[in-house]
Amino acid sequence: MTSPMLCALPKFLCQGQCLRWRVAVRFNSSAKSRWLDRQKGDSFTREAKVQGLRSRAAFKLMHLDDKYHLFRKGSSQKVLDLGYAPGAWSQVALDRTGPNGVILGVDILPCAPPRGVSAIQGNILSKKTHELIRLFFSKHFQLYQEDQLHKDNGYFQHMLEQELEGLIPDGSKTGLQIDRSKVEKTPIDVIVSDMYEPWPQTTGFWNNITNSAYDRMANTTGVAIKDHYMSMDLCDAALVTAIDLMKPGGSFVCKLYTGKEDKLLESRLKKAFENVHRFKPSASRNESKELYFIGLKKKHKVDKLKVFSE
Ligand SMILES: C[S@@+](CC[C@H](N)C(=O)[O-])C[C@H]1O[C@@H](n2cnc3c(N)ncnc32)[C@H](O)[C@@H]1O
């Protein structure tokens, strides 16, 4: 492990900006070692290892599915896993819809998805990400392949969000040949969102970029009110995705750190789904404020403005 002694400057001069100091601080943090100790003694963590699952979070989705029957084995359900990295929920979705299910993970951090799962690195708050999800499920392009769309447009990476809005209908701006009538507006059957803090990257990964996503993310702070409001934003983003991209009748799960606005989220969900439930799976630690909201049977006509106006 890098030692603070390697830094040429005293800490008060480099003001903690020096990478070496930051490395030392990150890896020596007592919070991290507490996290590692807790993981070692945890039966779900051990079981996840035995079953080849990427994290203990898998058991939370299993419990949710056992209770609310989100997935149908052998169906061709299209499942969107928001905040999929490192990929345990996607593994469960794949297993429980297999062999015909189609699973797409979206995460703001780069991460190789589990075998059989496709993935997009993107921010769910961006319209570009929504459009890519829609195109993927409409089979308009294959991720990871050298398709024409990618060659010509780099998956829209160079475009502004406003440009994207005008892009799809006629393709005139860029010459994109997308037949809008073949793009399903609401292709998805199930959306699950476990979005919040990135998983602690302990092995096989070295994040050595100046503008580190990890530092900019909504990491759990331990300050309940902050975690609550930040997770509320991500739940709203997941709900907007469900309203815009999910089939009527579809199912939805999102994680919230509980607090003052639980009821507000619940009332929004009730405007979009026939049945709404709260559930804390047994794999969710007692001391954690996390709670899952489940929306079943998406309503036929959902007016986004009405959902978000009180
Ligand atoms: C707790 S982890 C998810 C664990 C995952 N369910 C599993 O089973 O492996 C939360 C993830 O949400 C992602 N995330 C947070 N904000 C996001 C955003 N705005 N768009 C996409 N992903 C986001 C983080 O990068 C992180 O990987």
Side-chain angles (χ1 to χ4, degrees):
M1 208 63 50
T2 314
S3 143
M5 294 304 289
L6 288 174
C7 183
L9 293 171
K11 192 173 183 187
F12 69 89
L13 275 181
C14 79
Q15 297 182 325
Q17 294 308 306
C18 168
L19 181 65
R20 288 176 182 154
W21 277 104
R22 291 173 63 186
V23 169
V25 170
R26 166 90 39 97
F27 280 89
N28 289 337
S29 83
S30 60
K32 184 143 194 159
S33 60
R34 270 203 311 277
W35 181 85
L36 285 172
D37 287 348
R38 201 174 52 183
Q39 291 293 97
K40 274 183 220 151
D42 178 87
S43 62
F44 287 110
T45 307
R46 282 198 301 271
E47 191 53 32
K49 239 183 194 161
V50 172
Q51 293 191 28
L53 296 164
R54 289 195 174 185
S55 90
R56 68 190 294 291
F59 296 103
K60 299 178 195 173
L61 187 58
M62 288 181 198
H63 295 171
L64 281 155
D65 183 45
D66 290 345
K67 194 159 166 66
Y68 297 105
H69 312 293
L70 309 164
F71 305 121
R72 288 192 308 277
K73 187 85 185 152
S75 68
S76 47
Q77 277 179 311
K78 293 174 178 166
V79 180
L80 177 65
D81 181 3
L82 295 178
Y84 78 94
W89 277 29
S90 291
Q91 288 178 299
V92 173
L94 187 68
D95 178 54
R96 295 200 170 194
T97 57
N100 302 323
V102 181
I103 320 297
L104 176 69
V106 171
D107 204 289
I108 201 165
L109 291 180
C111 166
R115 188 185 288 270
V117 172
S118 301
I120 293 175
Q121 190 228 331
N123 186 349
I124 199 57
L125 298 166
S126 148
K127 275 188 192 156
K128 274 191 227 177
T129 310
H130 283 206
E131 211 53 61
L132 287 174
I133 294 169
R134 192 174 270 138
L135 289 173
F136 169 79
F137 281 118
S138 298
K139 294 219 167 76
H140 259 285
F141 67 86
Q142 296 289 310
L143 301 174
Y144 316 122
Q145 280 190 9
E146 277 290 295
D147 55 32
Q148 204 54 40
L149 185 62
H150 194 183
K151 273 193 200 137
D152 295 345
N153 299 283
Y155 292 135
F156 315 129
Q157 289 311 321
H158 64 297
M159 287 183 204
L160 299 174
E161 286 191 5
Q162 304 91 289
E163 285 179 316
L164 185 75
E165 280 221 77
L167 161 77
I168 304 293
D170 58 7
S172 54
K173 277 197 178 168
T174 59
L176 258 188
Q177 296 304 313
I178 293 178
D179 180 352
R180 193 63 180 169
S181 64
K182 290 201 180 123
V183 177
E184 260 186 274
K185 207 167 176 313
T186 54
I188 305 171
D189 297 286
V190 182
I191 296 182
V192 291
S193 168
D194 196 21
M195 282 189 292
Y196 203 67
E197 76 284 8
W199 81 104
Q201 290 149 344
T202 47
T203 55
F205 187 86
W206 175 239
N207 197 351
N208 192 17
I209 49 176
T210 49
N211 193 9
S212 160
Y214 193 94
D215 292 338
R216 287 184 283 118
M217 304 262 328
N219 295 317
T220 28
T221 58
V223 181
I225 190 158
K226 199 168 171 207
D227 289 339
H228 171 59
Y229 282 108
M230 291 199 299
S231 74
M232 203 43 206
D233 281 349
L234 291 170
C235 287
D236 283 347
L239 179 55
V240 168
T241 313
I243 294 171
D244 287 348
L245 298 177
M246 194 162 74
K247 282 180 191 151
S251 308
F252 175 82
V253 169
C254 72
K255 171 168 77 182
L256 179 75
Y257 286 94
T258 61
K260 230 175 155 187
E261 296 203 343
D262 291 9
K263 281 244 170 284
L264 181 59
L265 177 63
E266 196 166 17
S267 73
R268 286 176 180 164
L269 287 168
K270 280 184 177 161
K271 291 181 199 165
F273 294 91
E274 298 290 346
N275 305 316
V276 174
H277 306 272
R278 297 166 172 229
F279 185 63
K280 186 162 172 83
S282 50
S284 176
R285 300 179 205 277
N286 288 338
E287 68 272 23
S288 164
K289 290 233 167 220
E290 76 181 6
L291 177 71
Y292 289 86
F293 276 88
I294 301 96
L296 301 176
K297 295 193 189 150
K298 185 188 165 196
K299 293 182 180 172
H300 271 263
K301 285 208 167 122
V302 182
D303 181 337
K304 213 167 18 186
L305 285 180
K306 280 196 184 141
V307 170
F308 286 93
S309 60
E310 287 216 56

